[in-house]
Amino acid sequence: PFEVKSDHEIHIAAPQVAAGDYVLEIQSSGGVARNALTVGAPLSGVVQVAAGTDHMCAVMEDKSVKCWGKNENGQLGNNSQTNSPKAVAVQTADGQQLGNIVAVTAGEIFSCALSSDHAVYCWGDNAAGQLGDGSTIRRLAATRVTGLPENVVAINAGSYFHCALTESGAVYCWGSNSS
């Protein structure tokens, strides 16, 4: 079964389709459109999820982080700029899997995570300094936020900025301050 939502949107419900690669073909009076389609297995073991503009990230039961979607600015954190329809593990700059994570948040084209030891790590676009590492250099892997004077207990991202709540109730923000 399918439903035509608008001139440019069709919803297809196919609960019996197995994970794999397919070719989607739509025939109409105007011709035939073909496109590759990948159906992935459901991601299990998810504890928390965050959505950016064109990417998503999830904290897993093992306290790792996995992201998927667009990756032109490194917002998936897997040391690449290759888009991924499947969840990939976030890595540190030395290629190790980022671990001990309790929360994740996503901005426009960057992501950040909070570790169990109260540190914040960010990756992706950094044009406005939203990664908090004192630079405006894009990071393809998780980089620790510098200059936070005390332990962080919660994080949240805006479009091009990020904020952290500390144990004492103080809030620290970095990145774009255009408004």
Side-chain angles (χ1 to χ4, degrees), residues 55-57 65-84 88-98 104 109-112 121-125 131 138-143:
H55 74 289
M56 293 188 73
C57 295
V65 178
K66 292 188 177 181
C67 299
W68 60 95
K70 285 193 176 180
N71 195 31
E72 289 88 1
N73 288 282
Q75 62 264 45
L76 301 186
N78 66 335
N79 273 315
S80 83
Q81 290 178 272
T82 303
N83 298 342
S84 180
V88 294
V90 173
Q91 300 174 6
T92 59
D94 62 1
Q96 300 297 310
Q97 182 172 296
L98 183 64
V104 67
I109 45 181
F110 75 101
S111 307
C112 295
Y121 297 86
C122 297
W123 56 93
D125 181 62
L131 301 187
R138 173 188 311 146
R139 304 291 182 184
L140 303 181
T143 302

Side-chain angles (χ1 to χ4, degrees), residues 2-47:
F2 70 94
E3 177 184 358
V4 177
K5 293 283 195 175
S6 70
D7 288 343
H8 304 285
E9 184 178 354
I10 299 172
H11 286 219
I12 300 170
Q16 301 302 317
V17 174
D21 294 322
Y22 297 89
V23 173
L24 177 64
E25 181 176 288
I26 299 174
Q27 298 178 358
S28 70
S29 59
V32 176
R34 286 185 189 88
N35 201 357
L37 173 69
T38 299
V39 175
L43 186 61
S44 61
V46 174
V47 175

Side-chain angles (χ1 to χ4, degrees), residues 120-146:
V120 180
Y121 297 86
C122 297
W123 56 93
D125 181 62
N126 196 24
Q130 65 266 40
L131 301 187
D133 66 354
S135 78
T136 55
I137 298 169
R138 173 188 311 146
R139 304 291 182 184
L140 303 181
T143 302
R144 190 170 178 157
V145 172
T146 59

Side-chain angles (χ1 to χ4, degrees), residues 114-167:
L114 175 63
S115 69
S116 59
D117 67 352
H118 306 283
V120 180
Y121 297 86
C122 297
W123 56 93
D125 181 62
N126 196 24
Q130 65 266 40
L131 301 187
D133 66 354
S135 78
T136 55
I137 298 169
R138 173 188 311 146
R139 304 291 182 184
L140 303 181
T143 302
R144 190 170 178 157
V145 172
T146 59
L148 292 172
E150 58 183 304
N151 288 341
V152 173
V153 295
I155 57 174
N156 204 0
S159 293
Y160 294 96
F161 66 94
H162 200 270
C163 294
L165 174 68
T166 65
E167 285 180 325

